[in-house]
Structure formats: structure tokens, C-alpha cells
Amino acid sequence: MSSIWFLLRKMKINPFFWFVLGIGVVTGYFREVLLVFAIVFIHEMGHALAAHYFKWTIYKIELLPFGGVAEVEDSGNRPIKEELIVILSGPLQHLWMIGLSFLLVHFNIWSEATHELFILHNLTILLINLVPILPLDGGRLVQLLYMNYYSYHYALRKSWSTSVGVLAVVMTLSVLLLPFHLNLWVVLSFLAIVHYLEWKQRHYRMMRFLLGRPQAYDTHLQDVELKSVPVTANMFLLDGMKKMYRGYLHQFHYLDPKTKERVTIDEKKVLDTLVRKKQWKLTFKEIMIK
């Protein structure tokens, strides 16, 4: 109960939420609006409870007019399996909610009409969240899949491109099939803005990943596999760091142009040069000379 109370204190309600709720009252759809936001609330609490269990920092849980978002710590250095559980903990809430609705209607606690409405909204929100578009759960799952196979920097770019492609297809279908569906276009506009901001902040995401490494050394990266990363002697350190994978410790190696000997540099030394000493323009060859 203490965890739930802690998370409730993190709850923020977007001012536009009250506007939509008011429209629901005026137009007679108050029950539907209330059901939708109850489902969204439980969905987001699923994410938040899982994140709280793994001791993630939770900044806020915000209810929006078209859904919700749990804003949590995200440096990209948590174990992939851990984040997978946090992502899936949202969609999994719909399963027990649907089961509960069947029990409530069976024991005549609520009506058949309410049951059908509740099931419809549950399935709709679940399916929408599983669409592979960021920042929906489906998009985050695709991004996590890429991070399991590609470097962190490349996975960010590839997942963003995939998400934009799917969003473009959905927008095209919406123009053809539902051109005047206001709620749909509000959501799609929001997603388009999110993608624009994500593109603008792509370098910041990479820097946040690097800055979060030192803390992860003592927690999540103690007994992980060592990955060898090939670079060139004249490659800038930051370019080499873009080849780093999530969930690994790294050793960079290159062939010395003169001696043709293999030179190996530990990740921590490279990161210390970049972050603490702020020597961004050094190459791998230069870091060995200094």
C-alpha cells in the first residue's frame, strides 16, 4: 500500500483532461470518459509499479486527454529484461481488467451494457498501445528489440525511423478512412510532435546514455559480458562510443598504423576522458599518447 500511495503522489492531471471531462458531461458521454481514464490510469500504474519495484526513479505519472504517460528514469543503462518487464506491465493490466468485468457482469454487479463498453475500451486501448509507434508500448518494444541486436546509438536511429514509417502509414490510412475523426487526429498530431522532439534530442539521448554509465558500473554492469569494439586510430572518441551496446562493458581496439600492433583501450578510460576531462576532440591514438 505504501508503494501505491507513493505513486499516487506522483500523479499529475493535465489541465486539458478537465476540459475533455467537461465535454463528456455536456454531451452525455461522462460514463465513457470515466471508463477510459480509469483504464488508462490502471495501465500507467502497471508501468509505474514495475518501475518502482526495480527502484527506478519515477518523476511523474500524467493523465492526458488521450491516454497517460509514466515519466521514469531512462538513461538506457538498465538491463533489457528489466525494461521489458516494465513495458509489458502496462498491457498486462488489461487482461485482469477484462476478466474482472466478466465476473462483475456475471454476478450482476454491473450491467451488460457497461460490460460491453468496458471490454470495448479495454481492447481498443490495448491494441492502440501495441502499435509499433513511439512512445507507445509497441514502439518501445520494437526499440528494445533493436537494442538487443544493435549498438545503442544505431538502435535509437533505427527505432525512430521505423516508428516514423508506421506513423506515416497510419496517417495516410486516417486521411482515407477517417478524415474527420477529431480525437484520432489529436492523438496523431501529438505523436508527430513527439517524433519531432525526439529527433531534435537524439544527441541528448546519446549523451544521457554515456553520462549514466559510471553509475551503472557499480550496479547493472558488474557481471556482464565484455564486448570488443573495433575502431581506427584516428577515429574520434565520441564516434567510437556510438558503437557501444546496451548491457555490455566494452574494450576498444585498433591496429597501430606504424607498429601494426593491436592497441586495446578500456571503456572507462575513454569515458573518463570524454566526461570528466571534457576532451571531446581526441582520437583513440591521441588518448594513448596522453
Side-chain angles (χ1 to χ4, degrees):
M1 288 299 295
S2 60
S3 297
I4 295 177
W5 174 245
F6 169 79
L7 294 175
L8 287 174
R9 288 163 55 192
K10 297 287 185 178
M11 186 70 61
K12 307 292 181 185
I13 299 180
N14 189 285
F16 199 44
F17 164 83
W18 300 112
F19 175 72
V20 173
L21 195 63
I23 292 178
V25 174
V26 172
T27 57
Y29 289 99
F30 177 74
R31 184 181 62 167
E32 288 197 30
V33 173
L34 205 58
L35 283 177
V36 168
F37 278 100
I39 293 168
V40 169
F41 170 77
I42 294 172
H43 178 108
E44 295 304 325
M45 284 296 289
H47 290 308
L49 283 169
H52 184 65
Y53 174 80
F54 290 118
K55 295 180 172 57
W56 289 23
T57 301
I58 301 174
Y59 300 111
K60 68 176 179 178
I61 307 166
E62 186 174 17
L63 289 183
L64 302 166
F66 42 80
V69 58
E71 187 177 319
V72 299
E73 166 200 5
D74 183 24
S75 68
N77 286 295
R78 290 280 181 170
I80 286 180
K81 289 182 180 179
E82 194 174 290
E83 184 169 346
L84 178 63
I85 293 173
V86 173
I87 294 174
L88 292 178
S89 293
L92 286 175
Q93 304 310 308
H94 296 274
L95 301 183
W96 71 260
M97 282 193 284
I98 290 173
L100 178 63
S101 183
F102 277 99
L103 282 176
L104 292 175
V105 73
H106 177 73
F107 290 105
N108 296 320
I109 296 175
W110 66 17
S111 67
E112 185 71 33
T114 303
H115 166 71
E116 292 178 358
L117 195 61
F118 189 73
I119 296 298
L120 173 63
H121 288 317
N122 251 294
L123 292 176
T124 301
I125 293 171
L126 174 60
L127 293 175
I128 289 175
N129 265 280
L130 292 178
V131 175
I133 298 176
L134 292 168
L136 302 177
D137 294 334
R140 293 171 63 197
L141 287 172
V142 170
Q143 186 175 81
L144 208 60
L145 178 66
Y146 285 149
M147 287 183 177
N148 195 47
Y149 294 101
Y150 302 111
S151 68
Y152 182 79
H153 181 260
Y154 183 73
L156 286 180
R157 290 174 52 196
K158 191 172 180 65
S159 59
W160 184 87
S161 300
T162 301
S163 184
V164 168
V166 176
L167 180 59
V169 171
V170 172
M171 283 185 161
T172 301
L173 292 175
S174 299
V175 169
L176 297 175
L177 303 176
L178 299 166
F180 304 111
H181 196 296
L182 180 59
N183 289 343
L184 175 62
W185 283 106
V186 169
V187 174
L188 292 177
S189 299
F190 168 78
L191 293 174
I193 293 172
V194 167
H195 282 75
Y196 170 75
L197 294 176
E198 187 70 19
W199 175 254
K200 295 279 288 184
Q201 296 175 358
R202 63 192 186 281
H203 301 303
Y204 169 72
R205 283 287 300 272
M206 185 64 198
M207 289 307 304
R208 188 166 57 180
F209 171 69
L210 296 178
L211 292 173
R213 299 292 288 181
Q215 183 180 0
Y217 292 145
D218 300 325
T219 53
H220 319 303
L221 299 175
Q222 288 183 323
D223 302 309
V224 299
E225 184 180 343
L226 187 66
K227 181 177 283 290
S228 184
V229 180
V231 294
T232 62
N234 295 318
M235 180 181 288
F236 288 117
L237 297 181
L238 186 57
D239 291 333
M241 298 295 266
K242 289 178 179 179
K243 294 188 172 188
M244 290 171 54
Y245 283 68
R246 181 171 175 171
Y248 290 90
L249 285 173
H250 304 79
Q251 281 187 338
F252 300 93
H253 65 85
Y254 66 89
L255 290 179
D256 187 278
K258 294 183 178 179
T259 65
K260 302 302 179 182
E261 294 181 351
R262 179 186 171 108
V263 180
T264 302
I265 310 173
D266 186 72
E267 170 192 327
K268 294 181 180 179
K269 181 176 182 178
V270 178
L271 194 61
D272 182 69
T273 303
L274 282 175
V275 177
R276 190 174 66 83
K277 298 179 181 178
K278 302 186 184 302
Q279 295 178 321
W280 301 95
K281 296 298 182 180
L282 287 184
T283 64
F284 283 92
K285 181 179 179 180
E286 291 170 334
I287 194 179
M288 295 303 294
I289 297 175
K290 286 184 174 292

